[in-house]
Amino acid sequence: MVDLTKEERAAITATMKRVALLMDEIGWATPLAELTEAQVRALIEEAVEGFREAMSDIARAQTPEVPF
């Protein structure tokens, strides 16, 4: 079991929304075994990019602005 930080949990929540939008396009009733390689790749890329973007946004929000 991985100990996630509150920031990582927030990033996962943000990522779930992005992945859900892609699943809307694919179709929620589509069994995982019937996904094409391109669909699986798209889901993974969306999850990774969504997580990276959310973590970056969180870090930026927590970093004090430089006064110059």
Side-chain angles (χ1 to χ4, degrees):
M1 185 72 160
V2 176
D3 263 345
L4 299 174
T5 65
K6 69 177 185 173
E7 292 84 5
E8 290 168 330
R9 288 186 192 283
I12 288 171
T13 298
T15 301
M16 288 170 37
K17 294 173 185 174
R18 291 177 63 150
V19 171
L21 291 173
L22 184 53
M23 280 304 300
D24 282 341
E25 292 178 24
I26 293 170
W28 286 95
T30 307
L32 290 176
E34 291 182 13
L35 293 177
T36 66
E37 180 181 339
Q39 289 170 324
V40 172
R41 180 175 280 115
L43 285 168
I44 293 169
E45 289 173 359
E46 193 66 26
V48 170
E49 182 57 29
F51 185 81
R52 289 179 62 226
E53 187 177 301
M55 287 298 291
S56 177
D57 291 346
I58 291 167
R60 194 175 310 109
Q62 294 178 345
T63 304
E65 203 171 308
V66 178
F68 52 86

